[in-house]
Amino acid sequence: MADEFIVTARGLTRTFGKFTAVDSIDFDVSEGEIFGFLGPNGAGKTTTIRILCGLLRPTSGECRVDGIDVRKKPEQIKQRIGYMSQKFSLYEDLTVGENLQFFGGVYGLKDAEITRRQKELFHLLSLGEVERQKTAELPLGWKQCVALASAVIHQPKIVFLDEPTSGVDPISRRNFWALIHNMAAQGTTAFVTTHYMEEAEYCNRISIMEAGRIIALGTPGELKKSFGKNSVEEVFVHLLIK
């Protein structure tokens, strides 16, 4: 498996009893890339992310994240990545600033490092105005920005975002994607799952999953050209109704 990729998977499979959630998938992700995972609910997107984050052991196949074998050293992976789950995972009884301090400590940052990163993230994500507000008091769009800040406070090389804009209004979704592109421009790799087809256009490359398998992989332009469609949404519909 090539070392030039920050994520590699070959024959990656995960079964639960007789059910195959991820069915022998292959893909590579380059450093600094925004890689989109698309598919309907139950396609295997979240299961794949949980494997890559070291939270779920694969049944078979090979997978490396930042050069680390997921099967052999899952705990090492957890310290090198950022992870933002589908469900809001911050402490709502803490303020925005306190949440960032807590997660900075979890990732082993010193107090001075936490302070420096807080200032950078407050500026990047425009969170300064809500620093002292309890997270429970924030609208969903703001909460998602705080969750993103908590996931990247330790400056991971790769961040996994599992449907990060689910339930967020369209304007907040666009702003959130602008932040992802900003981080990618600074070298952070973003691995994103989404069921919003228009968000696929924001990715450098996308893979489309169905029933645990990758059924299409390429840039948005390549996929539209390959299937003779005008949008990724049309490609998606075409593939899933065949």
Side-chain angles (χ1 to χ4, degrees):
M1 295 173 34
D3 292 332
E4 66 264 27
F5 297 110
I6 195 166
V7 178
T8 56
R10 296 290 181 272
L12 188 63
T13 301
R14 172 68 197 203
T15 60
F16 296 92
K18 295 182 179 179
F19 174 68
T20 301
V22 178
D23 191 358
S24 191
I25 61 174
D26 301 338
F27 62 88
D28 301 304
V29 181
S30 298
E31 191 165 349
E33 183 175 20
I34 301 174
F35 187 79
F37 241 33
L38 278 68
N41 291 335
K45 305 185 304 295
T46 296
T47 300
T48 301
I49 276 200
R50 289 178 61 81
I51 292 172
L52 297 176
C53 291
L55 300 172
L56 192 62
R57 185 177 177 83
T59 303
S60 61
E62 297 180 75
C63 183
R64 289 183 180 272
V65 175
D66 197 16
I68 299 173
D69 189 316
V70 171
R71 296 172 64 91
K72 295 178 180 178
K73 300 177 180 178
E75 292 303 319
Q76 285 190 23
I77 289 173
K78 294 174 186 177
Q79 293 299 315
R80 296 190 181 211
I81 65 170
Y83 175 52
M84 182 176 166
S85 66
Q86 283 179 313
K87 297 180 180 179
F88 192 62
S89 57
L90 300 179
Y91 293 96
E92 296 204 331
D93 57 339
L94 298 181
T95 67
V96 170
E98 288 168 345
N99 265 291
L100 293 188
Q101 288 174 348
F102 172 79
F103 282 98
V106 167
Y107 283 116
L109 300 186
K110 305 293 185 183
D111 288 345
E113 292 177 295
I114 294 174
T115 299
R116 176 183 63 82
R117 284 294 289 156
Q118 275 185 316
K119 289 180 179 179
E120 291 175 354
L121 291 167
F122 285 154
H123 175 72
L124 177 64
L125 304 177
S126 302
L127 290 173
E129 61 188 273
V130 296
E131 176 183 0
R132 293 180 174 81
Q133 281 188 246
K134 287 192 174 182
T135 311
E137 301 170 355
L138 300 176
L140 182 58
W142 279 107
K143 288 181 178 180
Q144 296 298 74
C145 284
V146 179
L148 177 61
S150 299
V152 300
I153 191 168
H154 57 306
Q155 294 182 287
K157 293 174 67 175
I158 179 169
V159 59
F160 293 93
L161 307 172
D162 193 6
E163 298 195 9
T165 60
S166 180
V168 176
D169 65 88
I171 293 176
S172 295
R173 290 213 312 267
R174 284 199 300 270
N175 292 339
F176 195 91
W177 274 94
L179 298 173
I180 294 174
H181 275 273
N182 189 313
M183 291 191 305
Q186 298 177 37
T188 302
T189 304
F191 193 110
V192 188
T193 71
T194 181
H195 59 261
Y196 293 113
M197 292 301 105
E198 71 272 19
E199 292 189 348
E201 306 282 356
Y202 304 147
C203 299
N204 300 126
R205 283 190 307 140
I206 55 176
S207 67
I208 298 177
M209 289 192 75
E210 181 188 24
R213 289 181 172 272
I214 293 177
I215 58 175
L217 176 62
T219 69
E222 287 170 347
L223 294 182
K224 286 184 283 189
K225 182 178 180 180
S226 176
F227 293 99
K229 304 298 180 181
N230 295 318
S231 69
V232 172
E233 183 173 9
E234 291 180 7
V235 172
F236 185 82
V237 172
H238 168 77
L239 287 170
L240 267 65
I241 65 172
K242 289 176 62 177

